[in-house]
Amino acid sequence: DEGLATAIAGLPQQQRVAVSLFYVEQLSVREIAASMKLSEGAVKYHLHAGRASLRGWVEADTAGETAGETGSGSTSHGAHER
């Protein structure tokens, strides 16, 4: 989804890298820690923070779709400023 890619791109660098390596490249936390030269705990923190930010984006996007369905019928996917 282009909107999700935009949301991921808007994450802080370490969150973006951790989320991308975990979900796109399917690396383990241990592999990500070695790659990023961080502890496993730090990687888990960045994954948690990244997920929380993305969850907020998804909730905002879903709310926009609901409003669009009852209003003018148009939504602006990918137009979030994050």
Side-chain angles (χ1 to χ4, degrees):
D1 179 57
E2 186 177 315
L4 182 57
T6 300
I8 292 170
L11 292 173
Q13 181 182 6
Q14 289 189 313
Q15 290 177 23
R16 181 177 63 246
V17 171
V19 166
S20 296
L21 291 175
F22 190 78
Y23 290 104
V24 178
E25 301 298 326
Q26 298 185 342
L27 296 181
S28 69
V29 169
R30 178 174 287 162
E31 292 169 320
I32 296 168
S35 174
M36 294 178 71
K37 296 180 175 41
L38 296 172
S39 69
E40 290 181 31
V43 171
K44 289 177 184 179
Y45 167 79
H46 291 303
L47 287 171
H48 174 77
R51 286 184 198 117
S53 293
L54 293 174
R55 188 176 305 115
W57 178 86
V58 168
E59 290 171 357
D61 190 54
T62 302
E65 286 180 10
T66 302
E69 290 171 5
T70 59
S72 65
S74 65
T75 59
S76 57
H77 293 287
H80 301 282
E81 293 183 28
R82 291 192 181 235

